[in-house]
Amino acid sequence: MVMGHYAIDHEREDIRLEDKPAWLEKFSSERQVPVLLLDQTRPLTEAAVICDYLDRINGRALYPVDLIESAEHSIWILRAERILSLTADLVYRAHNEHDCDLTLHRIGLILAILNKKFEAAGPFREVGLCMVDMAYATAFRAFPVLVYGLNRDLFAGFEHVRGWSERLLKNDIVRTVVPQTYHGELHHFIASRQSYLAKRLSMLPVPQKPALSASQ
């Protein structure tokens, strides 16, 4: 998304998490993605670090100019990363309904804070995307599959966040950064794990219509 925002010319290679190529270890000792290769000897790892680097070399336009506001945006981004971590817990580590409910509750606590922010101050940026938008677009992208598998409305009671999420996921830069088959592929990937969510998704057909929001 950052590369799309700045129209940075690059070559992209997608990695299958269940079948990582051997060459990945050369650039990422833990074989983690994403990796940005500046050249054949200088890789950058960790999504937040890569995004920050790309933003800095392009004038730091995805953060507020005011240093305090910029720091506050960084705090919100850390919360988005927490949602991603909790989503990973649902995919890999929540093996029963109780663990799943506890993880969803923790996600809900973050969404409640976010909803209060929108009630009090409105969007992070009136026009265009900022780094916070991109962080939460990433966090929200998997929500429709979670909703389908668990039959829960993750945004219940958080209507400001629901509306923001739907606007983000319809943004051209956000929408086109993954293939149209993304949700179907994610469905199959999670269903092959061992978690409670995986077991539920394994019993459900992949929806023919691509999921657009976490309320479907």
Side-chain angles (χ1 to χ4, degrees), residues 138-193:
T138 303
F140 293 152
R141 197 185 300 278
F143 273 29
V145 178
L146 306 183
V147 167
Y148 181 60
L150 298 172
N151 194 29
R152 308 281 186 90
D153 181 358
L154 274 65
F155 291 134
F158 311 129
E159 296 309 312
H160 292 286
V161 182
R162 185 196 306 276
W164 180 49
S165 169
E166 292 176 351
R167 290 192 298 274
L168 286 177
L169 296 180
K170 291 177 182 177
N171 180 279
D172 285 343
I173 290 176
V174 174
R175 182 176 49 81
T176 59
V177 78
V178 296
Q180 293 184 355
T181 56
Y182 170 83
H183 288 106
E185 292 181 20
L186 182 61
H187 182 125
H188 285 300
F189 177 80
I190 297 175
S192 67
R193 308 300 104 184

Side-chain angles (χ1 to χ4, degrees), residues 60 63-64 66-78:
R60 200 69 171 170
Y63 284 89
D66 181 86
L67 293 180
I68 294 178
E69 289 183 22
S70 180
E72 290 172 346
H73 276 216
S74 294
I75 293 171
W76 286 108
I77 290 171
L78 289 175

Side-chain angles (χ1 to χ4, degrees), residues 7-209:
I8 300 172
D9 187 33
H10 65 283
E11 180 180 345
R12 170 174 167 168
E13 182 167 348
D14 292 328
I15 301 297
R16 297 184 65 85
L17 297 181
E18 67 274 25
D19 186 25
K20 297 177 182 178
W23 60 259
L24 182 61
E25 189 170 357
K26 176 182 177 182
F27 302 108
S28 174
S29 58
E30 297 178 342
R31 301 183 70 197
Q32 297 297 306
V33 293
V35 177
L36 175 66
L37 300 184
L38 305 176
D39 54 40
Q40 289 301 307
T41 62
R42 293 190 300 170
L44 287 181
T45 58
E46 301 293 342
V49 173
I50 292 171
C51 290
D52 188 68
Y53 167 78
L54 294 172
D55 189 45
R56 285 177 183 274
I57 65 173
N58 285 278
R60 200 69 171 170
L62 292 174
Y63 284 89
V65 174
D66 181 86
L67 293 180
I68 294 178
E69 289 183 22
S70 180
E72 290 172 346
H73 276 216
S74 294
I75 293 171
W76 286 108
I77 290 171
L78 289 175
R79 289 175 175 143
E81 292 174 355
R82 179 60 178 155
I83 292 176
L84 284 169
S85 177
L86 290 167
T87 299
D89 287 343
L90 290 173
V91 173
Y92 295 104
R93 291 175 284 276
H95 295 297
N96 54 62
E97 188 173 7
H98 175 268
D99 290 345
C100 184
D101 287 342
L102 183 60
T103 304
L104 291 175
H105 174 69
R106 289 170 175 166
I107 292 174
L109 292 177
I110 299 173
L111 297 181
I113 296 171
L114 190 57
N115 203 67
K116 288 182 180 179
K117 183 271 173 201
F118 281 114
E119 288 179 345
F124 289 97
R125 178 170 290 182
E126 292 293 343
V127 179
L129 296 174
C130 63
M131 195 69 80
V132 177
D133 293 318
M134 295 181 184
Y136 281 92
T138 303
F140 293 152
R141 197 185 300 278
F143 273 29
V145 178
L146 306 183
V147 167
Y148 181 60
L150 298 172
N151 194 29
R152 308 281 186 90
D153 181 358
L154 274 65
F155 291 134
F158 311 129
E159 296 309 312
H160 292 286
V161 182
R162 185 196 306 276
W164 180 49
S165 169
E166 292 176 351
R167 290 192 298 274
L168 286 177
L169 296 180
K170 291 177 182 177
N171 180 279
D172 285 343
I173 290 176
V174 174
R175 182 176 49 81
T176 59
V177 78
V178 296
Q180 293 184 355
T181 56
Y182 170 83
H183 288 106
E185 292 181 20
L186 182 61
H187 182 125
H188 285 300
F189 177 80
I190 297 175
S192 67
R193 308 300 104 184
Q194 301 297 319
S195 63
Y196 176 79
L197 171 62
K199 293 174 183 177
R200 289 183 61 93
L201 283 174
S202 68
M203 296 184 290
L204 295 171
V206 177
Q208 295 300 308
K209 182 181 178 181

